[in-house]
Amino acid sequence: QVQLVESGGGLVQTGGSLRLSCQTSGLSLDRYPIAWFRQAPGKAREAVACLGNGDGSTHTVASLKGRFTISSDKPKSTVYLEMSNLEPEDPGLYYCAAKWGAYNRGWCDYHYPIEYWGKGVTVTVSS
């Protein structure tokens, strides 16, 4: 079955950097588009970035563009989220997610239903 396991979360100072990893199994990154989502306490879950398996693209939502970058290592079945210049608004639970189908650049902007989720990893930002 599809499994997604996030790692790399932790505590970082404002302005610092962090790289999250999503180790996948039971799927092919060529057949499942992957996305990162996040959710802060009391707030709705929001998209962060996504891979388009239909066109081989990477995309970061407009509000995070320039600070967050998604990438993948297909031989390792791993997806990464590189975060830089972290801000007090960035802490929360970060999820790796996968969806069946072929999707192109920017699909996570449209909030399609997601079939598979990791358990999430916590990111904390200190002043």
Side-chain angles (χ1 to χ4, degrees):
Q1 67 274 20
V2 172
Q3 290 186 332
L4 309 170
V5 181
E6 303 96 336
S7 63
L11 175 65
V12 63
Q13 287 187 325
T14 298
S17 300
L18 201 63
R19 186 176 79 164
L20 305 182
S21 297
C22 174
Q23 181 67 57
T24 73
S25 61
L27 62 81
S28 168
L29 295 181
D30 292 324
R31 297 185 182 275
Y32 291 77
I34 309 295
W36 285 95
F37 291 80
R38 69 180 185 180
Q39 187 171 26
K43 296 184 178 180
R45 183 179 294 169
E46 62 179 347
V48 174
C50 46
L51 298 174
N53 65 319
D55 58 1
S57 63
T58 63
H59 172 75
T60 301
V61 300
S63 61
L64 298 175
K65 192 170 297 184
R67 297 198 300 117
F68 288 19
T69 303
I70 190 170
S71 62
S72 67
D73 186 336
K74 290 185 177 181
K76 296 182 179 179
S77 299
T78 302
V79 178
Y80 303 99
L81 180 67
E82 296 184 24
M83 304 180 291
S84 63
N85 195 24
L86 286 162
E87 301 176 354
E89 296 78 15
D90 293 326
L93 195 61
Y94 283 70
Y95 297 91
C96 179
K99 180 177 178 62
W100 167 251
Y103 288 79
N104 295 324
R105 186 179 187 273
W107 66 267
C108 51
D109 285 344
Y110 298 93
H111 306 289
Y112 293 111
I114 305 296
E115 292 91 351
Y116 308 103
W117 295 88
K119 294 182 179 180
V121 62
T122 299
V123 172
T124 304
V125 180
S126 63
S127 300

